[in-house]
Amino acid sequence: MSLLLPRPDGTTRRYEPRATPLSLSPGSPPTSRTVFSAAHVVADPYADTSPDSPAAIDWDATLAFRRHLWSHGLGVAEAMDTAQRGMGLDWPAAAELITRSAAEAKAVGGRIACGVGTDQLGPGNLAEVRAAYEEQLGVVEKAGAQPVLMASRALAAAARGPEDYLSLYAGLLRQASSPVILHWLGPMFDPALDGYWGSADLDAATETFLEVIAAHPGKVDGIKVSLLDARREVELRRRLPDGVRCYTGDDFHYPELIAGDQLGFSHALLGIFDPLGPLAAEAVRVLDKGDADGFRALLDPTVELSRHLFQPPTRFYKTGVVLLAWLAGHQSHFTMVGGLQSARSLTHLARAYELADGLGLFPDPGLAETRMKSLLNVYGVPQ
């Protein structure tokens, strides 16, 4: 069997799918690194919605996917960017997602961290931004999950300079009942976050970020950095106080950042570990045994797929993530909240399928082929 895949020039080419998948069994959590997968949500395909309406979630499929990740030993980073916070997933749906997923984590013994932001707020002043953060922090802590203090569009718009970030984060960290993860998302993921920490100069922004951590090291479990700049991440993690972890959010350079060097390494909180979950968990368990070469041998070949999914405009990487979940059989449809299944071209989606198939990521290659053919037919590429 084979497929006709489209080329950007309007022609097609024949592709022969892989016959057998990778064999990856569930396993225990890695021990040498803390690894979170930032998980997507599964939309309800039967809901009568529009791009501007509240999100409609298929809760059974969404929670089943989290159980899949936990079964392979991964932690779940819930209600983060991968779940379309600020891009279709509204705060009421995110709050319910946090509550449901935290309860599920408790039931199965899975690790969970949840995003705390300000997306229930439109433009607002600093007092309103702080109140919005506090509301969401209360929801996450009540659910029993670890908070991730996410970067806020409202704060980026309201802050006058670094001192506003220092003051606001200091108040939130004092209130947090347990150590949190601080989140720095670059403008390639969300253009509204340009100039976060009070400066568009990343060196100056880094100093403010480090000042927040240094003032409250006991309240910071770690930092999640998504700047797609491996050099900057390495320099930053070497300046962290003892006991504060660096969770890489770099979907371009994660193998070398997780493997580390003689001076340290990064843990992981990654959107690409949604489609790569079982493979990523197995790779880190190999690293647990001290086999860095074996770890790289498993994970390095996945970087081409990750770079493809996260190519500019990077914020639409979620479309490829959901496509692969559908092709892998984790959900019955290719539908996203906010209609974002249309955010990438057919040629982009076809290449994502080809790269994922080549890695053996689909548990049932025949199902993936059948579903990909149906998508191609809908787009007018007859099979």
Side-chain angles (χ1 to χ4, degrees), residues 15-40:
Y15 174 71
E16 299 290 336
R18 178 170 172 156
T20 57
L22 284 178
S23 178
L24 297 166
S25 301
S28 57
T31 57
S32 64
R33 307 288 190 273
T34 300
V35 182
F36 288 99
S37 167
H40 74 282

Side-chain angles (χ1 to χ4, degrees), residues 94-108:
E96 185 173 359
L97 177 64
I98 288 164
T99 301
R100 286 176 178 258
S101 292
E104 197 75 14
K106 184 177 181 180
V108 304

Side-chain angles (χ1 to χ4, degrees), residues 288-303:
D288 290 345
K289 300 173 184 178
D291 184 0
D293 290 340
F295 165 80
R296 294 295 297 268
L298 283 171
L299 217 52
D300 281 0
T302 69
V303 172

Side-chain angles (χ1 to χ4, degrees), residues 43 49-52 84 87-88 319 334-344:
T49 60
S50 69
D52 296 327
Q84 295 180 243
M87 292 184 69
T319 301
F334 179 39
T335 307
M336 298 173 67
V337 296
L340 283 184
Q341 66 272 13
S342 65
R344 292 292 202 186

Side-chain angles (χ1 to χ4, degrees), residues 141 146-147 149 169-170 172-182 210-223 240-245:
E141 291 191 331
Q146 182 178 19
L149 294 186
Y169 275 92
L172 292 174
L173 290 172
R174 282 194 295 266
Q175 291 180 57
S177 60
S178 60
V180 308
I181 298 172
L182 293 180
L210 287 169
E211 189 174 345
V212 170
I213 299 164
H216 305 275
K219 286 295 187 76
V220 180
D221 164 72
I223 62 169
L240 293 175
D242 291 343
V244 176
R245 298 168 173 154

Side-chain angles (χ1 to χ4, degrees), residues 1-3 15-22 326-329 353 357 360-374:
M1 298 180 70
S2 63
L3 298 87
Y15 174 71
E16 299 290 336
R18 178 170 172 156
T20 57
L22 284 178
W326 173 55
L327 296 177
Y353 160 74
D357 179 71
L361 296 184
F362 302 130
D364 183 344
L367 174 66
E369 180 183 352
T370 298
R371 289 184 168 182
M372 192 65 203
K373 282 183 174 179
S374 71

Side-chain angles (χ1 to χ4, degrees), residues 277-329:
L279 177 56
E282 181 61 27
V284 181
R285 282 190 289 269
V286 169
L287 189 60
D288 290 345
K289 300 173 184 178
D291 184 0
D293 290 340
F295 165 80
R296 294 295 297 268
L298 283 171
L299 217 52
D300 281 0
T302 69
V303 172
E304 185 179 5
L305 170 64
S306 188
R307 285 178 174 265
H308 177 74
L309 295 181
F310 285 80
Q311 68 182 233
T314 302
R315 63 189 182 277
F316 295 122
Y317 74 89
K318 308 163 189 68
T319 301
V321 166
V322 174
L323 171 81
L324 298 184
W326 173 55
L327 296 177

